[in-house]
Amino acid sequence: FTLVSNACGAVSLAANADCQLQIAFAPTQPGPVTGLLTFTDGAGIQTVELSGNGAAPPTDIVSPASLTFSATPADQVSAAQSVTLTNIGGLPLTSISVTASAPFQASSNCGAQLGADSVCTVSVEFAPAQAGSISGTLTITDALHAQTVPLTGTGLQPGAFSVKPASLSFAQQQPGLASTPQTITITNSGGAPMANIGFQITGPAASSYSVGATTCGALLNNGGSCTVQIVFTPAATGPIAATLAVSSSTPGVVAASVPINGAGQLATGLGANPAQLPFAAVIGVGQASPAQTVTVTNSSSYAIGSVTLAAVGPFTVTQNTCTGSLGPGADCTAGVVFQPSASGAATGTLTVSSTVVTTPASVPLSGTGFDFTLATSGPASATVASGQQADYTMDITPDGAQGEFAFQCGALPANAVCVFNPLNESLPPGTQGNVQVEIYTGGSGSTARVEGPAEWRRAQDIAPLVCGFLLLPFALWKRRKALWFVAVAAILSFGASSCASSGGGTVGGGQNNGFNTPPGTYTIPVTVTSTGVSHSVNLSLTVD
């Protein structure tokens, strides 16, 4: 015990007065301590007993002296390890603080003061941001001093997916039927294990794919591999795409995506009616037949997209309504046209196909093309005097079918008449026939009437009478006036004469009015027509 201060003075204390003394206790060892304060004055000696208890000073003990963490994947947090702070002294430990250097993390329940004979805990975690060996320090500071605990750990690369193959492609598959499974191998190419490998198929057509057997368990160690099978069961026709997502419950692991593609394809389903399409009518080369209709039907229970119609041979598709998708049980129509480029029998095929149908429908097509050859037999030129006739012969040979031939002369020189013998002709295929072409020049036309066919001569005989009857109403209309009667009589006479002069089996141009054909050389085109096909030859006529 120590007298720290004395306010009583050393000589006297006034009546009814007091004074104070301060005594400090500074034990030198733990345990109870007693002492005595003695007052001496004129009245005698008085004593005051003093007692105290010496306590041990606070003492901070940190344990363990260092921490080592197990390998931890980057961007993950390790399990916590503990450091204890113990105050074994008899007095509280004050001004406590705890810090840890990155990538270590510290937290504690010590607070700012730790009582005598008390213990608190500091929790430390390792959260590496990169791979490799990492060191750090835990610092515990109190009123006595600062203590450090070395920290060490190893960061690992996180688990990572390596998937082979990178995508799946299924062959075309019948809708509703499961394909043969395809296998995907998943490898952990990272530095840390991955837990709970999961699979999910996503996308609008996800229902057409399913996850089959897998060897991936609860944990896939780094460098380890496992497999999963995918099955394709198309729910529709046409291209079907989805995505397989491969994931792990381990934090920091990036999921992998595997594109999956397939297509639903029907074995059959397209039909065409009629089963075959013959074109009965003979069509001339270069001509087009009327379109015949074919009905296309989808007999399946699935939509058939991208329906395509194509005709082979001298046949073409027209008026096609079979475009886009054809629903289950639906039908559409298209026309087929026969347009031969050569004579004779022609065949072809109408094919009805789709990318989602394995076997297309086909319709055999057939038709007959017609053509003929035309050539002059003998000279194609003649020289006559005006009033004489020039004769030519043309050979005609039909090909592919029977031909019904008609003839026509083009522009004729003045006062010339063109006559054909026969007027028309019918020939079987491959059979050569001929026609006489007679060009009459100048004169009254009587020669043409005599030399022409009987049909032309009869027409000439009755032509004036017919023309007279046609003009008779005009005469009756004006009969009340004699002057008009005379005029009409003249008209009747002129009309009958004109009608008579136009008869006689002439074909083409030329006017037979009783005048001569002027001298010169003329080119006269002659056209032969059958079944829509026309061929021409040029005849040369020289009039002296």
PDB file of all heavy atoms in Angstrom, residues 270-273 293-298 304 307-309 319-327 329-335 352:
ATOM      1  N   LEU A 270     -47.915 -39.325 -99.592  1.00  0.00           N
ATOM      2  CA  LEU A 270     -48.392 -38.537-100.716  1.00  0.00           C
ATOM      3  C   LEU A 270     -48.993 -39.453-101.774  1.00  0.00           C
ATOM      4  O   LEU A 270     -48.402 -40.471-102.139  1.00  0.00           O
ATOM      5  CB  LEU A 270     -47.242 -37.730-101.337  1.00  0.00           C
ATOM      6  CG  LEU A 270     -46.743 -36.531-100.532  1.00  0.00           C
ATOM      7  CD1 LEU A 270     -45.524 -35.930-101.207  1.00  0.00           C
ATOM      8  CD2 LEU A 270     -47.841 -35.483-100.383  1.00  0.00           C
ATOM      9  N   GLY A 271     -50.171 -39.087-102.260  1.00  0.00           N
ATOM     10  CA  GLY A 271     -50.827 -39.837-103.326  1.00  0.00           C
ATOM     11  C   GLY A 271     -51.294 -38.901-104.413  1.00  0.00           C
ATOM     12  O   GLY A 271     -51.481 -37.693-104.192  1.00  0.00           O
ATOM     13  N   ALA A 272     -51.466 -39.439-105.624  1.00  0.00           N
ATOM     14  CA  ALA A 272     -51.921 -38.639-106.760  1.00  0.00           C
ATOM     15  C   ALA A 272     -52.999 -39.383-107.524  1.00  0.00           C
ATOM     16  O   ALA A 272     -52.949 -40.612-107.680  1.00  0.00           O
ATOM     17  CB  ALA A 272     -50.747 -38.307-107.683  1.00  0.00           C
ATOM     18  N   ASN A 273     -54.002 -38.644-107.978  1.00  0.00           N
ATOM     19  CA  ASN A 273     -55.116 -39.218-108.718  1.00  0.00           C
ATOM     20  C   ASN A 273     -55.400 -38.318-109.930  1.00  0.00           C
ATOM     21  O   ASN A 273     -55.489 -37.097-109.787  1.00  0.00           O
ATOM     22  CB  ASN A 273     -56.359 -39.310-107.816  1.00  0.00           C
ATOM     23  CG  ASN A 273     -57.512 -40.000-108.506  1.00  0.00           C
ATOM     24  OD1 ASN A 273     -57.334 -41.015-109.157  1.00  0.00           O
ATOM     25  ND2 ASN A 273     -58.700 -39.446-108.362  1.00  0.00           N
ATOM     26  N   THR A 293     -56.210 -32.167-114.957  1.00  0.00           N
ATOM     27  CA  THR A 293     -56.072 -31.960-113.511  1.00  0.00           C
ATOM     28  C   THR A 293     -55.620 -33.229-112.806  1.00  0.00           C
ATOM     29  O   THR A 293     -56.127 -34.321-113.068  1.00  0.00           O
ATOM     30  CB  THR A 293     -57.406 -31.481-112.904  1.00  0.00           C
ATOM     31  OG1 THR A 293     -57.782 -30.257-113.531  1.00  0.00           O
ATOM     32  CG2 THR A 293     -57.268 -31.259-111.403  1.00  0.00           C
ATOM     33  N   VAL A 294     -54.672 -33.045-111.882  1.00  0.00           N
ATOM     34  CA  VAL A 294     -54.220 -34.117-110.991  1.00  0.00           C
ATOM     35  C   VAL A 294     -54.479 -33.652-109.558  1.00  0.00           C
ATOM     36  O   VAL A 294     -54.179 -32.504-109.206  1.00  0.00           O
ATOM     37  CB  VAL A 294     -52.723 -34.414-111.183  1.00  0.00           C
ATOM     38  CG1 VAL A 294     -52.239 -35.417-110.143  1.00  0.00           C
ATOM     39  CG2 VAL A 294     -52.470 -34.949-112.585  1.00  0.00           C
ATOM     40  N   THR A 295     -55.041 -34.538-108.751  1.00  0.00           N
ATOM     41  CA  THR A 295     -55.319 -34.237-107.340  1.00  0.00           C
ATOM     42  C   THR A 295     -54.282 -34.919-106.468  1.00  0.00           C
ATOM     43  O   THR A 295     -54.068 -36.134-106.566  1.00  0.00           O
ATOM     44  CB  THR A 295     -56.716 -34.706-106.939  1.00  0.00           C
ATOM     45  OG1 THR A 295     -57.688 -34.045-107.756  1.00  0.00           O
ATOM     46  CG2 THR A 295     -56.997 -34.384-105.468  1.00  0.00           C
ATOM     47  N   VAL A 296     -53.617 -34.142-105.609  1.00  0.00           N
ATOM     48  CA  VAL A 296     -52.604 -34.651-104.691  1.00  0.00           C
ATOM     49  C   VAL A 296     -53.210 -34.718-103.296  1.00  0.00           C
ATOM     50  O   VAL A 296     -53.836 -33.762-102.832  1.00  0.00           O
ATOM     51  CB  VAL A 296     -51.355 -33.748-104.690  1.00  0.00           C
ATOM     52  CG1 VAL A 296     -50.340 -34.228-103.662  1.00  0.00           C
ATOM     53  CG2 VAL A 296     -50.737 -33.708-106.081  1.00  0.00           C
ATOM     54  N   THR A 297     -53.023 -35.855-102.611  1.00  0.00           N
ATOM     55  CA  THR A 297     -53.640 -36.084-101.297  1.00  0.00           C
ATOM     56  C   THR A 297     -52.583 -36.457-100.269  1.00  0.00           C
ATOM     57  O   THR A 297     -51.657 -37.225-100.563  1.00  0.00           O
ATOM     58  CB  THR A 297     -54.678 -37.214-101.382  1.00  0.00           C
ATOM     59  OG1 THR A 297     -55.652 -36.886-102.372  1.00  0.00           O
ATOM     60  CG2 THR A 297     -55.380 -37.405-100.039  1.00  0.00           C
ATOM     61  N   ASN A 298     -52.706 -35.893 -99.060  1.00  0.00           N
ATOM     62  CA  ASN A 298     -51.890 -36.285 -97.913  1.00  0.00           C
ATOM     63  C   ASN A 298     -52.689 -37.308 -97.101  1.00  0.00           C
ATOM     64  O   ASN A 298     -53.645 -36.962 -96.406  1.00  0.00           O
ATOM     65  CB  ASN A 298     -51.558 -35.073 -97.054  1.00  0.00           C
ATOM     66  CG  ASN A 298     -50.788 -35.437 -95.788  1.00  0.00           C
ATOM     67  OD1 ASN A 298     -50.422 -36.595 -95.584  1.00  0.00           O
ATOM     68  ND2 ASN A 298     -50.537 -34.453 -94.942  1.00  0.00           N
ATOM     69  N   ILE A 304     -47.473 -32.354 -94.128  1.00  0.00           N
ATOM     70  CA  ILE A 304     -46.375 -32.562 -95.071  1.00  0.00           C
ATOM     71  C   ILE A 304     -46.041 -31.204 -95.682  1.00  0.00           C
ATOM     72  O   ILE A 304     -46.854 -30.600 -96.375  1.00  0.00           O
ATOM     73  CB  ILE A 304     -46.753 -33.581 -96.163  1.00  0.00           C
ATOM     74  CG1 ILE A 304     -47.015 -34.960 -95.531  1.00  0.00           C
ATOM     75  CG2 ILE A 304     -45.657 -33.681 -97.213  1.00  0.00           C
ATOM     76  CD1 ILE A 304     -47.432 -36.015 -96.538  1.00  0.00           C
ATOM     77  N   VAL A 307     -44.289 -29.385-100.398  1.00  0.00           N
ATOM     78  CA  VAL A 307     -44.746 -30.275-101.467  1.00  0.00           C
ATOM     79  C   VAL A 307     -44.315 -29.669-102.809  1.00  0.00           C
ATOM     80  O   VAL A 307     -44.511 -28.481-103.072  1.00  0.00           O
ATOM     81  CB  VAL A 307     -46.273 -30.446-101.422  1.00  0.00           C
ATOM     82  CG1 VAL A 307     -46.750 -31.305-102.585  1.00  0.00           C
ATOM     83  CG2 VAL A 307     -46.680 -31.088-100.095  1.00  0.00           C
ATOM     84  N   THR A 308     -43.697 -30.512-103.649  1.00  0.00           N
ATOM     85  CA  THR A 308     -43.165 -30.059-104.937  1.00  0.00           C
ATOM     86  C   THR A 308     -43.677 -30.957-106.047  1.00  0.00           C
ATOM     87  O   THR A 308     -43.662 -32.185-105.912  1.00  0.00           O
ATOM     88  CB  THR A 308     -41.630 -30.082-104.927  1.00  0.00           C
ATOM     89  OG1 THR A 308     -41.162 -29.256-103.863  1.00  0.00           O
ATOM     90  CG2 THR A 308     -41.070 -29.577-106.246  1.00  0.00           C
ATOM     91  N   LEU A 309     -44.136 -30.343-107.136  1.00  0.00           N
ATOM     92  CA  LEU A 309     -44.582 -31.080-108.316  1.00  0.00           C
ATOM     93  C   LEU A 309     -43.638 -30.774-109.470  1.00  0.00           C
ATOM     94  O   LEU A 309     -43.334 -29.597-109.722  1.00  0.00           O
ATOM     95  CB  LEU A 309     -46.015 -30.702-108.701  1.00  0.00           C
ATOM     96  CG  LEU A 309     -47.162 -31.442-107.982  1.00  0.00           C
ATOM     97  CD1 LEU A 309     -47.206 -31.066-106.507  1.00  0.00           C
ATOM     98  CD2 LEU A 309     -48.501 -31.126-108.644  1.00  0.00           C
ATOM     99  N   GLN A 319     -51.138 -24.128-113.092  1.00  0.00           N
ATOM    100  CA  GLN A 319     -52.266 -23.962-112.161  1.00  0.00           C
ATOM    101  C   GLN A 319     -52.051 -24.780-110.886  1.00  0.00           C
ATOM    102  O   GLN A 319     -52.946 -25.478-110.399  1.00  0.00           O
ATOM    103  CB  GLN A 319     -53.583 -24.374-112.843  1.00  0.00           C
ATOM    104  CG  GLN A 319     -53.879 -23.598-114.112  1.00  0.00           C
ATOM    105  CD  GLN A 319     -55.022 -24.184-114.926  1.00  0.00           C
ATOM    106  OE1 GLN A 319     -55.696 -25.111-114.482  1.00  0.00           O
ATOM    107  NE2 GLN A 319     -55.232 -23.649-116.110  1.00  0.00           N
ATOM    108  N   ASN A 320     -50.847 -24.674-110.334  1.00  0.00           N
ATOM    109  CA  ASN A 320     -50.451 -25.502-109.195  1.00  0.00           C
ATOM    110  C   ASN A 320     -50.894 -24.861-107.881  1.00  0.00           C
ATOM    111  O   ASN A 320     -50.461 -23.766-107.537  1.00  0.00           O
ATOM    112  CB  ASN A 320     -48.934 -25.689-109.205  1.00  0.00           C
ATOM    113  CG  ASN A 320     -48.450 -26.595-108.084  1.00  0.00           C
ATOM    114  OD1 ASN A 320     -49.246 -27.303-107.465  1.00  0.00           O
ATOM    115  ND2 ASN A 320     -47.157 -26.584-107.846  1.00  0.00           N
ATOM    116  N   THR A 321     -51.773 -25.548-107.143  1.00  0.00           N
ATOM    117  CA  THR A 321     -52.186 -25.080-105.811  1.00  0.00           C
ATOM    118  C   THR A 321     -51.462 -25.836-104.709  1.00  0.00           C
ATOM    119  O   THR A 321     -51.723 -25.608-103.531  1.00  0.00           O
ATOM    120  CB  THR A 321     -53.708 -25.238-105.627  1.00  0.00           C
ATOM    121  OG1 THR A 321     -54.046 -26.640-105.643  1.00  0.00           O
ATOM    122  CG2 THR A 321     -54.469 -24.511-106.706  1.00  0.00           C
ATOM    123  N   CYS A 322     -50.567 -26.743-105.099  1.00  0.00           N
ATOM    124  CA  CYS A 322     -49.855 -27.566-104.110  1.00  0.00           C
ATOM    125  C   CYS A 322     -48.555 -26.875-103.724  1.00  0.00           C
ATOM    126  O   CYS A 322     -47.457 -27.278-104.120  1.00  0.00           O
ATOM    127  CB  CYS A 322     -49.578 -28.957-104.667  1.00  0.00           C
ATOM    128  SG  CYS A 322     -51.059 -29.878-105.121  1.00  0.00           S
ATOM    129  N   THR A 323     -48.675 -25.802-102.993  1.00  0.00           N
ATOM    130  CA  THR A 323     -47.506 -25.071-102.514  1.00  0.00           C
ATOM    131  C   THR A 323     -47.588 -24.983-100.994  1.00  0.00           C
ATOM    132  O   THR A 323     -48.657 -24.992-100.408  1.00  0.00           O
ATOM    133  CB  THR A 323     -47.457 -23.662-103.117  1.00  0.00           C
ATOM    134  OG1 THR A 323     -48.668 -22.965-102.788  1.00  0.00           O
ATOM    135  CG2 THR A 323     -47.316 -23.729-104.637  1.00  0.00           C
ATOM    136  N   GLY A 324     -46.429 -24.890-100.359  1.00  0.00           N
ATOM    137  CA  GLY A 324     -46.409 -24.790 -98.897  1.00  0.00           C
ATOM    138  C   GLY A 324     -46.662 -26.135 -98.258  1.00  0.00           C
ATOM    139  O   GLY A 324     -46.214 -27.181 -98.724  1.00  0.00           O
ATOM    140  N   SER A 325     -47.432 -26.132 -97.187  1.00  0.00           N
ATOM    141  CA  SER A 325     -47.677 -27.337 -96.395  1.00  0.00           C
ATOM    142  C   SER A 325     -49.058 -27.904 -96.694  1.00  0.00           C
ATOM    143  O   SER A 325     -50.017 -27.168 -96.932  1.00  0.00           O
ATOM    144  CB  SER A 325     -47.562 -27.016 -94.902  1.00  0.00           C
ATOM    145  OG  SER A 325     -47.782 -28.167 -94.121  1.00  0.00           O
ATOM    146  N   LEU A 326     -49.122 -29.236 -96.678  1.00  0.00           N
ATOM    147  CA  LEU A 326     -50.384 -29.942 -96.912  1.00  0.00           C
ATOM    148  C   LEU A 326     -50.754 -30.665 -95.618  1.00  0.00           C
ATOM    149  O   LEU A 326     -50.033 -31.549 -95.149  1.00  0.00           O
ATOM    150  CB  LEU A 326     -50.229 -30.935 -98.070  1.00  0.00           C
ATOM    151  CG  LEU A 326     -51.498 -31.541 -98.656  1.00  0.00           C
ATOM    152  CD1 LEU A 326     -52.416 -30.449 -99.212  1.00  0.00           C
ATOM    153  CD2 LEU A 326     -51.166 -32.525 -99.755  1.00  0.00           C
ATOM    154  N   GLY A 327     -51.878 -30.256 -95.011  1.00  0.00           N
ATOM    155  CA  GLY A 327     -52.279 -30.803 -93.720  1.00  0.00           C
ATOM    156  C   GLY A 327     -52.701 -32.256 -93.798  1.00  0.00           C
ATOM    157  O   GLY A 327     -52.922 -32.821 -94.882  1.00  0.00           O
ATOM    158  N   GLY A 329     -54.662 -35.426 -94.256  1.00  0.00           N
ATOM    159  CA  GLY A 329     -55.903 -35.706 -94.969  1.00  0.00           C
ATOM    160  C   GLY A 329     -56.307 -34.677 -95.993  1.00  0.00           C
ATOM    161  O   GLY A 329     -57.338 -34.830 -96.649  1.00  0.00           O
ATOM    162  N   ALA A 330     -55.522 -33.623 -96.175  1.00  0.00           N
ATOM    163  CA  ALA A 330     -55.889 -32.558 -97.109  1.00  0.00           C
ATOM    164  C   ALA A 330     -55.445 -32.908 -98.524  1.00  0.00           C
ATOM    165  O   ALA A 330     -54.644 -33.819 -98.747  1.00  0.00           O
ATOM    166  CB  ALA A 330     -55.255 -31.237 -96.675  1.00  0.00           C
ATOM    167  N   ASP A 331     -55.992 -32.176 -99.505  1.00  0.00           N
ATOM    168  CA  ASP A 331     -55.577 -32.387-100.887  1.00  0.00           C
ATOM    169  C   ASP A 331     -55.425 -31.043-101.592  1.00  0.00           C
ATOM    170  O   ASP A 331     -55.833 -29.995-101.086  1.00  0.00           O
ATOM    171  CB  ASP A 331     -56.549 -33.306-101.641  1.00  0.00           C
ATOM    172  CG  ASP A 331     -57.987 -32.781-101.615  1.00  0.00           C
ATOM    173  OD1 ASP A 331     -58.180 -31.558-101.725  1.00  0.00           O
ATOM    174  OD2 ASP A 331     -58.921 -33.598-101.487  1.00  0.00           O
ATOM    175  N   CYS A 332     -54.816 -31.086-102.754  1.00  0.00           N
ATOM    176  CA  CYS A 332     -54.609 -29.912-103.589  1.00  0.00           C
ATOM    177  C   CYS A 332     -54.588 -30.370-105.032  1.00  0.00           C
ATOM    178  O   CYS A 332     -54.577 -31.574-105.310  1.00  0.00           O
ATOM    179  CB  CYS A 332     -53.315 -29.183-103.212  1.00  0.00           C
ATOM    180  SG  CYS A 332     -51.842 -30.226-103.361  1.00  0.00           S
ATOM    181  N   THR A 333     -54.603 -29.436-105.959  1.00  0.00           N
ATOM    182  CA  THR A 333     -54.678 -29.802-107.373  1.00  0.00           C
ATOM    183  C   THR A 333     -53.635 -29.047-108.176  1.00  0.00           C
ATOM    184  O   THR A 333     -53.128 -28.004-107.766  1.00  0.00           O
ATOM    185  CB  THR A 333     -56.072 -29.494-107.955  1.00  0.00           C
ATOM    186  OG1 THR A 333     -56.332 -28.094-107.826  1.00  0.00           O
ATOM    187  CG2 THR A 333     -57.157 -30.294-107.239  1.00  0.00           C
ATOM    188  N   ALA A 334     -53.349 -29.603-109.344  1.00  0.00           N
ATOM    189  CA  ALA A 334     -52.461 -28.966-110.295  1.00  0.00           C
ATOM    190  C   ALA A 334     -52.833 -29.448-111.688  1.00  0.00           C
ATOM    191  O   ALA A 334     -53.446 -30.517-111.853  1.00  0.00           O
ATOM    192  CB  ALA A 334     -50.996 -29.295-110.004  1.00  0.00           C
ATOM    193  N   GLY A 335     -52.511 -28.663-112.686  1.00  0.00           N
ATOM    194  CA  GLY A 335     -52.762 -29.039-114.066  1.00  0.00           C
ATOM    195  C   GLY A 335     -51.490 -29.488-114.751  1.00  0.00           C
ATOM    196  O   GLY A 335     -50.389 -29.042-114.410  1.00  0.00           O
ATOM    197  N   VAL A 352     -44.553 -36.123-107.440  1.00  0.00           N
ATOM    198  CA  VAL A 352     -45.037 -35.351-106.297  1.00  0.00           C
ATOM    199  C   VAL A 352     -44.154 -35.721-105.112  1.00  0.00           C
ATOM    200  O   VAL A 352     -44.187 -36.865-104.651  1.00  0.00           O
ATOM    201  CB  VAL A 352     -46.509 -35.641-105.988  1.00  0.00           C
ATOM    202  CG1 VAL A 352     -46.996 -34.761-104.849  1.00  0.00           C
ATOM    203  CG2 VAL A 352     -47.364 -35.451-107.222  1.00  0.00           C
TER     204      VAL A 352
END
